Amino acid sequence: MKKYITKSLLGVCLASSFTACDLDVVPPSSIATETFWQTEDDVWYAMNSLYNTLPGSEMYDEKSTDNLHTRKSWEGDAYLLQIDAVSPADYPYGYDFSVVRECNTVLANVDKASVSEELKERVKAETRFFRALSYLDLTCKFGKVPIIEEVLDFDAPNVERDDVESVHAFILKELQDAADVLPASYAGGKKLQEKSRITRYAALALRARAALYFGNYAEAEKSAEQIITEGKFELFKLTGDLTEAQKKEAEEMKKYIDESELAAAGITMDQFVRGLFSYETLWHVENASPDNPEYILTREYAAKPGFGDWGRYQYMLVEQLAGSNKGYSSYEPTQGIVDAYWDITGKKVPDVIDPMERGRLYYDFYSKYGIKDLKAGSQEYFDKIAGLDVRDIPYMKEFRNRDSRLYASILFPLKGWHEPAVVNGTFYYRFMYQSEYTGGNESTTGYTLRKFVCLSPYNQTLNSADYPVIRYAEVLLTYAEAHIQTTGWDSKVTEVLDKLRDRCGMPHVPASLGKEEALEFVRNERRIELFGEGHRFEDIRRYGNDYASKQMNVKLYSVGVSKQAGTESGEYAGTVNDYIMDRKWSKRLMLMPIPQYAIDSNPLLRNDQNEGY
C-alpha cells in the first residue's frame, strides 16, 4: 500500500455535515478545504465524523471466534476464517487507514480554527484517542503496520511496515498523552460538551485494554488501577421493584435453579434473579446512556423517524415470531460458549456432553411430548411448554443450576422470555430441525442471542439505544488478569472479581488459586462477562496458538439429532439435520493476511506478507 489514505478532507467534511447535531444546515456545495477550519462549527463537523467511527457493535469479530457461528454470506468473511480458508485475495478484514487519515487531518488543521487554545488541545487529545483506537485494531489483526502521523500527499512514496514493538509503544504513548489532557467528565450540553465525549478515563481504559492485548501486564495493571482507585465508576445494578415481565421470569427460574444448592453457595433466589436482570438490562434503552455508572465510553444514537441501529442488534427467530416482531438469527451462539458458563457454585463448569447424546435426549423429548406436531411460535406450543416442568426432562439437565449470565445472554430450547416488547407476552424458544425451516433464518446451532437483542418491533424505526464501547466490567477483568500475571491470585484479584459476581447474583470466586489455574479461571470469567462484545477475537490469539487450536478445531453440531433414516432399531445417528461444519485452525490465523490489493500497490510489501499466506 502507499503511505496515504484515499479519504479526503472534503469527504470528511461532507460526511460530517449530514451527521452533525444542533448546527445550521450547511449545503455540501459550500464546503471547501480552502475555507474550512475557521470556526468552532468546523471543528465540530470534523469531530462528529470521528465519533461516527466508534463501534455500535462488536459482533463482527466475535463471529470469527468460538463464541458465535455464522453461515450467511452477508455477514462478511467470518465463515472463511472458521474453516481456515482466508486468503489475501478475498479477506481485507479491516485493513483500512481512513480513520488514521481523518485523525491526521484534524491534528494538522485544528490550530487554524478560531477557538481557544484549551479547546484545541482537548480536541487534539480526543483525536489521538481515535487514532490509537484505529491502530489497536490494525495491529491486533495484522501485526506490523506503518505508523502515519501526518497528512500525506496522494503521490507520497511507498513505505515499509513498522515493527510490532514500535506500533505498541506508539499506541500506549498516544493514550497516555491523551489521558494527561482530557477532563474526567463533561457537563453536558451542545457541541463540544456532550457527556459521551472521550474522557481521561476512556483513554486510560483503552490503554489498559491495549497493554493487556500486548502482554504488557504492568502497564495494563497500572492504567486499570488508576480507574478503579479513583472510584468514579461502578457496576450497574437493578434497583426498585421488578417489572411484571421480570416477575414472570423469576417464577420460571424456580424450575431452573435449585434454591437449596443456591443457598449452599450463599446466595438467595432474590439475589440471583436481580443479578440476572442487572446484567441483562444494562444494555436496555432505559439504562443505556452516558449516565450509566458502568459506561466509561458510550456511542450515542439520536432517535428520529426512519433512523435505527442496524449495526448493534441481531433480529431473531423469523419462523417463530409472528407479525412485526420478525427477525433473523444470521449468527448464533455455539455450544462452546454455552459450555463455558459456570455452574451455580461459580467455580467450575459442567462436564461437556457428547453431541450425539445431547441430540438423542432432545429427540426423546421432542417425540415424547409431541413437540414435533406443534408449530413453533404457536399458542398451542407456548401452552404446552409452559405446562412442562424442566426438572422432569433429562435433556434440560445441562441448562439447570447455571450462571445467571447464561440465562440473560442466550436462549436455549424451552427457555421462556417474558418481555412484552419482544413478543407481546411470553415466548418459549424452540430449536427447529432444518427440515422445518421455511425461510432459512433459524439458528442452526440450536441457540440464539438474548443479549443485545433489540426490544423494539422489527421495523424501520429499529432501535436507538446507546452502546457501551467500554464499560467498567472490562476494566475490572483487565486488572485481575494483569495482576495475576505480575503478582498472582490474591485479595486484590478476588475483590474486583467479586464485584462482578455480586452484580450478577453469583457466589464469590475462590479465595486462593495457583497462577496457571488462576489465569484459566479469569479467562473463562472474561469470556462469560464480555460475551458478544468483541474481545474474544484477540483473546484466543493472545492466549497462544495451542489455546486457539484447541478452541477452534471443533466440529459444530446443533442441539438436535434426527432418527437415522431407514432404521427401526431406535438407534440415533448424526444426519444432515444436525451436523453443521468442521471448524479448522492453523497457526497462520494468529494474524490476518495483508490484502493483495495493498501488495499490488506497494512493492515493499511483496516480501513482507504475514506468515502462512
Side-chain angles (χ1 to χ4, degrees):
M1 61 162 266
K2 292 200 181 252
K3 193 178 180 183
Y4 59 78
I5 311 306
T6 59
K7 193 166 188 177
S8 67
L9 171 61
L10 182 58
V12 173
C13 297
L14 291 175
S16 301
S17 69
F18 291 114
T19 57
C21 300
D22 298 310
L23 293 172
D24 294 333
V25 176
V26 179
S29 60
S30 70
I31 298 177
T33 302
E34 294 77 16
T35 58
F36 201 68
W37 294 113
Q38 295 182 1
T39 67
E40 183 177 313
D41 279 357
D42 292 342
V43 175
W44 177 245
Y45 283 129
M47 294 305 294
N48 234 29
S49 183
L50 287 180
Y51 275 90
N52 196 46
T53 67
L54 282 174
S57 170
E58 297 284 8
M59 287 287 187
Y60 186 86
D61 285 353
E62 201 105 349
K63 289 179 286 187
S64 300
T65 74
D66 52 345
N67 280 353
L68 292 174
H69 166 257
T70 183
R71 65 200 186 282
K72 299 291 189 179
S73 59
W74 59 74
E75 297 295 346
D77 297 316
Y79 185 85
L80 295 177
L81 193 148
Q82 293 172 1
I83 59 174
D84 190 19
V86 299
S87 74
D90 57 11
Y91 204 74
Y93 215 97
Y95 197 75
D96 182 357
F97 292 78
S98 59
V99 174
V100 173
R101 182 173 178 85
E102 285 192 46
C103 291
N104 291 341
T105 298
V106 173
L107 293 171
N109 289 282
V110 68
D111 284 332
K112 301 174 185 177
S114 297
V115 297
S116 69
E117 291 302 314
E118 180 184 5
L119 181 56
K120 288 177 183 178
E121 292 307 304
R122 205 193 80 200
V123 166
K124 290 176 186 177
E126 290 177 73
T127 302
R128 292 176 75 180
F129 173 95
F130 282 105
R131 187 166 65 179
L133 178 62
S134 184
Y135 266 113
L136 177 58
D137 183 65
L138 285 164
T139 192
C140 284
K141 291 190 172 98
F142 302 101
K144 298 190 298 179
V145 289
I147 300 173
I148 307 169
E149 298 184 73
E150 58 191 34
V151 181
L152 300 173
D153 294 332
F154 283 88
D155 59 351
N158 294 315
V159 295
E160 298 177 331
R161 296 191 290 168
D162 288 292
D163 62 82
V164 171
E165 292 75 16
S166 296
V167 178
H168 289 183
F170 172 73
I171 292 169
L172 294 180
K173 184 178 186 303
E174 287 278 276
L175 292 169
Q176 185 61 62
D177 289 349
D180 291 343
V181 172
L182 291 167
S185 62
Y186 295 89
K190 296 181 180 180
K191 299 186 179 180
L192 298 175
Q193 292 298 326
E194 299 293 345
K195 288 184 178 181
S196 58
R197 298 186 73 82
I198 307 300
T199 64
R200 170 175 177 268
Y201 294 110
L204 287 173
L206 186 62
R207 190 175 191 274
R209 176 192 295 180
L212 185 72
Y213 284 1
F214 301 159
N216 188 340
Y217 301 115
E219 289 301 317
E221 181 179 2
K222 174 185 173 183
S223 293
E225 189 171 30
Q226 282 184 265
I227 299 171
I228 295 169
T229 56
E230 292 184 24
K232 179 176 173 58
F233 299 94
E234 60 183 354
L235 297 176
F236 172 81
K237 290 184 179 180
L238 191 68
T239 59
D241 296 334
L242 298 181
T243 66
E244 290 305 310
Q246 290 169 343
K247 290 177 182 178
K248 290 180 181 178
E249 180 125 17
E251 189 64 27
E252 185 197 18
M253 290 308 299
K254 294 177 181 179
K255 298 180 180 181
Y256 285 91
I257 303 299
D258 290 329
E259 292 192 58
S260 59
E261 293 193 29
L262 198 60
I267 303 294
T268 67
M269 192 66 178
D270 182 68
Q271 288 174 313
F272 183 88
V273 168
R274 284 186 168 274
L276 187 162
F277 294 125
S278 292
Y279 183 77
E280 177 175 50
T281 60
L282 171 66
W283 294 278
H284 288 182
V285 175
E286 62 270 22
N287 302 317
S289 79
D291 292 321
N292 189 308
E294 189 167 341
Y295 281 21
I296 295 177
L297 176 60
T298 306
R299 173 169 176 154
E300 287 190 278
Y301 290 91
K304 57 184 178 181
F307 177 88
D309 177 1
W310 275 101
R312 174 176 171 185
Y313 296 100
Q314 169 187 352
Y315 295 89
M316 51 175 289
L317 308 175
V318 166
E319 283 79 14
Q320 296 187 40
L321 291 178
S324 62
N325 290 307
K326 288 185 177 181
Y328 56 82
S329 281
S330 60
Y331 45 93
E332 57 235 8
T334 64
Q335 187 64 50
I337 181 61
V338 174
D339 290 342
Y341 286 88
W342 307 110
D343 68 9
I344 203 67
T345 70
K347 297 178 175 62
K348 62 181 180 178
V349 295
D351 293 335
V352 174
I353 298 175
D354 178 81
M356 292 299 105
E357 174 64 10
R358 176 181 294 109
R360 184 187 67 79
L361 292 173
Y362 183 81
Y363 191 87
D364 283 350
F365 152 75
Y366 180 80
S367 302
K368 177 180 178 181
Y369 290 94
I371 302 302
K372 64 180 180 179
D373 301 319
L374 300 176
K375 181 181 178 181
S378 66
Q379 191 60 50
E380 292 80 6
Y381 172 75
F382 291 161
D383 292 343
K384 181 76 172 182
I385 301 306
L388 297 178
D389 191 337
V390 298
R391 290 169 288 197
D392 298 330
I393 302 173
Y395 166 73
M396 298 303 295
K397 182 179 179 181
E398 68 173 302
F399 303 111
R400 298 185 63 246
N401 295 319
R402 301 290 295 274
D403 191 298
S404 65
R405 289 166 290 188
L406 170 63
Y407 306 107
S409 302
I410 297 172
L411 280 177
F412 49 84
L414 308 192
K415 181 66 183 74
W417 199 0
H418 308 270
E419 178 57 60
V422 180
V423 292
N424 298 317
T426 294
F427 167 74
Y428 290 97
Y429 175 58
R430 170 182 163 187
F431 164 68
M432 297 176 68
Y433 289 104
Q434 290 182 20
S435 59
E436 298 176 284
Y437 292 177
T438 60
N441 287 321
E442 288 293 338
S443 169
T444 55
T445 64
Y447 304 104
T448 195
L449 284 173
R450 176 165 166 168
K451 182 177 179 178
F452 285 139
V453 168
C454 175
L455 295 185
S456 296
Y458 183 73
N459 55 35
Q460 289 303 305
T461 60
L462 304 180
N463 189 283
S464 57
D466 295 339
Y467 180 81
V469 179
I470 305 176
R471 60 187 182 95
Y472 188 50
E474 179 197 342
V475 173
L476 297 178
L477 287 162
T478 295
Y479 176 81
E481 184 176 344
H483 189 77
I484 292 168
Q485 292 281 10
T486 62
T487 308
W489 182 279
D490 60 17
S491 60
K492 290 186 175 181
V493 173
T494 58
E495 180 181 359
V496 297
L497 293 182
D498 284 342
K499 290 179 180 179
L500 293 170
R501 292 300 185 82
D502 288 340
R503 187 264 289 285
C504 67
M506 286 289 291
H508 284 181
V509 300
S512 63
L513 290 172
K515 182 175 181 178
E516 292 306 313
E517 191 179 9
L519 286 174
E520 182 178 353
F521 187 94
V522 78
R523 286 170 180 172
N524 199 60
E525 184 74 11
R526 179 180 173 88
R527 184 181 184 186
I528 292 169
E529 176 68 29
L530 303 179
F531 166 59
E533 298 178 50
H535 300 275
R536 189 63 178 169
F537 185 91
E538 180 56 27
D539 282 350
I540 62 174
R541 287 160 175 79
R542 68 186 180 86
Y543 298 155
N545 184 64
D546 289 346
Y547 178 92
S549 181
K550 179 182 177 182
Q551 295 299 124
M552 292 296 290
N553 273 321
V554 175
K555 293 181 183 293
L556 291 185
Y557 295 87
S558 71
V559 300
V561 176
S562 298
K563 186 175 181 181
Q564 189 173 23
T567 64
E568 300 297 335
S569 63
E571 296 178 355
Y572 298 85
T575 72
V576 293
N577 288 337
D578 56 80
Y579 176 70
I580 300 173
M581 68 180 296
D582 268 329
R583 274 189 160 162
K584 297 179 181 178
W585 175 272
S586 64
K587 188 176 181 180
R588 70 177 191 149
L589 295 176
M590 295 290 282
L591 291 174
M592 299 295 98
I594 304 299
Q596 190 61 48
Y597 67 77
I599 295 173
D600 292 342
S601 308
N602 183 0
L604 297 178
L605 296 178
R606 289 175 186 167
N607 296 318
D608 195 25
Q609 176 61 278
N610 287 331
E611 182 181 355
Y613 298 101

